[in-house]
Amino acid sequence: MAVDPLIELRDVNKHYGKLHVLQGINLTVGRGEVVVVIGPSGSGKSTLCRTMNRLETIESGSIAIDGRPLPEEGKGLAELRAEVGMVFQSFNLFAHKTVLANVSLAQIKVRGRKKEDADKRSHELLDRVGLASQAEKLPAQLSGGQQQRVAIARALAMDPKVMLFDEPTSALDPEMINEVLEVMQQLARDGMTMVVVTHEMGFARSAANRVVFMADGRIIEDRTPDDFFTNPQSDRAKDFLSKILKH
Amino acid sequence: MDVLTKNFSLYGKGFLGTVELTVYASVLALALGFVMASCRVSPVGSFRVLGTVWVTVLRNTPLTLLFFAVLLGLPRFGLVLPFQLFAVIALGCYTSSFICEALRSGINTVPKGQGEAARSLGMTFGQTLSTVVLPQAFRSVIPPVGSTLIALAKNSAIAGAFSVTELLGTYKTLSELGYNIIWTFVWIAIGYLIITLFISAVFNILEKRWGVAR
């Protein structure tokens, strides 16, 4: 597995005060792979996702993206983050800017594209996520599902090598979850490398190449979705699955 | 009444002096306050220290003492400038510490996710601050910055004690000329009211235009 590693975490540790939130994490994500991270609340899966573009610092171990270790600060870190798209649970669209400006801003500031070129690309991406008609609205005028699709378009506008999704559907009404998952499914089919922290088991089953199960700051299982859902090895995973798959 | 009409040019000079002090010191305070607020939220530790020291020292020093320090202190180091400029420096630096803290509280009202989203797109600290965080912080700091600038306008009266021409200082000449002290002060107060109400009006307009919609 992982012939061509894009993200490599080696022996990553982190504490929040006394809580050892990441305990010796080793994880490799290959190019084009879709890795879904699941686990109970507080197991460290969001933290793990956020360390991959250093929104969370780590105490020991190493993280490399496409062979380059994550820089600690400054311009190098900014450049690397531009290669790593991130989608948040709370969307985090820039509240004072229109949908179009949200998608164009970083293209202009970070990639140095001309405004017309950036806007053209933004329109294409908004079209791709089905929101071409909403370009001039402010984020607050959109539904949650629409906002999250804009956030995906905004991340894609940087042409990232990998996309991180930190519980992208957890803040959405049930009827809006699917429109976001469909966009993500399409991305996965297009060959985007993705790390997805989610509680959507359906998405894990259908789109993931691998499922990583985390509990108490450790990776407990790391296997194909079929394997994991039909034949979990650890008691912790069995317990977790029995609780969520009953309904 | 005739205090004003007979001494209009004296009042006028004092009024203009106060306006000049207020405008120049406001510009200096806003610029320095902006820089110091950026320092205080910067990822670089030494910038944060600089910002914190700046605010702590200036905000906790009586303004009169600061005037003494600037007007008597700086010439000892060979820096001799017109008294009005010294007054602008003292007033501007003093007020910048309050502006800095108002701006910083505005920055803190912007949800953390906004900055994280900008950083995750590869924007630098400066870009994140100037294009994402500060424009949103600006909306919530309009009222406190307005209050701070009104305080600055009134604080400028201290400059009169250091022979800078300004509004309050006109009372000395007028009382020497034997005018009724009450009316002298009434007209001075009205002069200050004109300036402070003008600042209020400007900030009311700013707030209507850019304030946080609720």
Side-chain angles (χ1 to χ4, degrees), chain A residues 50 53 78 81 84 88 92-96 105 109-110 154 158, chain B residues 113-114 116-123 127 131-132 135-136 139:
Chain A
R50 289 162 57 86
N53 66 356
R81 278 179 176 150
V84 181
F88 300 84
N92 293 344
L93 292 181
F94 305 136
H96 61 308
L105 182 67
K109 295 281 172 192
V110 179
R154 180 176 68 178
M158 305 302 289
Chain B
Q114 296 282 309
E116 285 183 349
R119 278 152 62 209
S120 78
L121 287 165
M123 295 210 253
Q127 288 172 333
T131 62
V132 174
Q136 295 185 64
R139 304 159 180 220

Side-chain angles (χ1 to χ4, degrees), chain A residues 100 103-105 107-109 112-125:
Chain A
L100 183 69
V103 185
S104 292
L105 182 67
Q107 296 183 61
I108 298 166
K109 295 281 172 192
R113 287 180 194 151
K114 282 206 204 77
K115 188 170 183 302
E116 304 87 74
D117 299 344
D119 283 348
K120 187 163 165 280
R121 172 97 173 111
S122 301
H123 278 298
E124 285 167 20
L125 285 164

Side-chain angles (χ1 to χ4, degrees), chain A residues 29 52 74 114 137 150 181 211:
Chain A
V29 179
M52 292 183 199
K114 282 206 204 77
K137 290 194 179 164
V150 174
L181 289 181
V211 170

Side-chain angles (χ1 to χ4, degrees), chain B:
Chain B
M1 185 67 203
D2 57 346
V3 191
L4 179 70
T5 44
K6 287 195 177 142
N7 299 285
F8 199 77
S9 74
L10 183 68
Y11 266 120
K13 266 188 200 153
F15 182 78
L16 277 181
T18 295
V19 169
E20 278 179 17
L21 276 177
T22 306
V23 170
Y24 296 148
S26 294
V27 171
L28 181 67
L30 289 171
L32 273 174
F34 174 81
V35 171
M36 289 302 156
S38 306
C39 283
R40 289 207 72 174
V41 297
S42 147
V44 183
S46 44
F47 284 161
R48 284 201 300 274
V49 171
L50 171 69
T52 311
V53 169
W54 182 269
V55 168
T56 311
V57 170
L58 289 169
R59 193 172 59 167
N60 298 319
T61 310
L63 182 55
T64 317
L65 195 68
L66 201 63
F67 265 92
F68 273 117
V70 170
L71 270 86
L72 305 177
L74 289 184
R76 294 207 169 189
F77 296 100
L79 192 61
V80 183
L81 297 167
F83 269 24
Q84 195 192 26
L85 189 54
F86 273 139
V88 167
I89 291 173
L91 260 179
C93 290
Y94 176 76
T95 313
S96 75
S97 65
F98 294 91
I99 300 271
C100 167
E101 290 302 271
L103 280 177
R104 198 165 64 92
S105 74
I107 289 170
N108 289 340
T109 64
V110 180
K112 225 172 111 202
Q114 296 282 309
E116 285 183 349
R119 278 152 62 209
S120 78
L121 287 165
M123 295 210 253
T124 60
F125 170 74
Q127 288 172 333
T128 302
L129 201 61
S130 62
T131 62
V132 174
V133 178
L134 282 176
Q136 295 185 64
F138 173 67
R139 304 159 180 220
S140 56
V141 300
I142 295 171
V145 168
S147 302
T148 310
L149 293 188
I150 287 172
L152 182 151
K154 297 186 292 182
N155 286 340
S156 69
I158 293 177
F162 297 90
S163 47
V164 177
T165 312
E166 54 78 51
L167 190 53
L168 182 63
T170 55
Y171 91 90
K172 281 182 225 154
T173 322
L174 291 172
S175 70
E176 274 162 25
L177 292 173
Y179 284 102
N180 181 328
I181 197 78
I182 306 251
W183 281 105
T184 310
F185 277 124
V186 165
W187 288 114
I188 288 175
I190 289 173
Y192 277 109
L193 267 178
I194 292 172
I195 296 171
T196 51
L197 288 179
F198 177 76
I199 299 175
S200 299
V202 168
F203 276 81
N204 273 335
I205 293 168
L206 284 178
E207 200 179 342
K208 284 225 175 72
R209 180 95 170 64
W210 282 297
V212 183
R214 294 195 192 280

Side-chain angles (χ1 to χ4, degrees), chain A residues 177-194:
Chain A
I177 291 176
N178 275 334
E179 63 188 55
V180 173
L181 289 181
E182 270 162 33
V183 170
M184 291 167 60
Q185 298 265 17
Q186 186 57 47
L187 264 180
R189 279 196 293 273
D190 293 346
M192 174 62 77
T193 310
M194 293 161 67

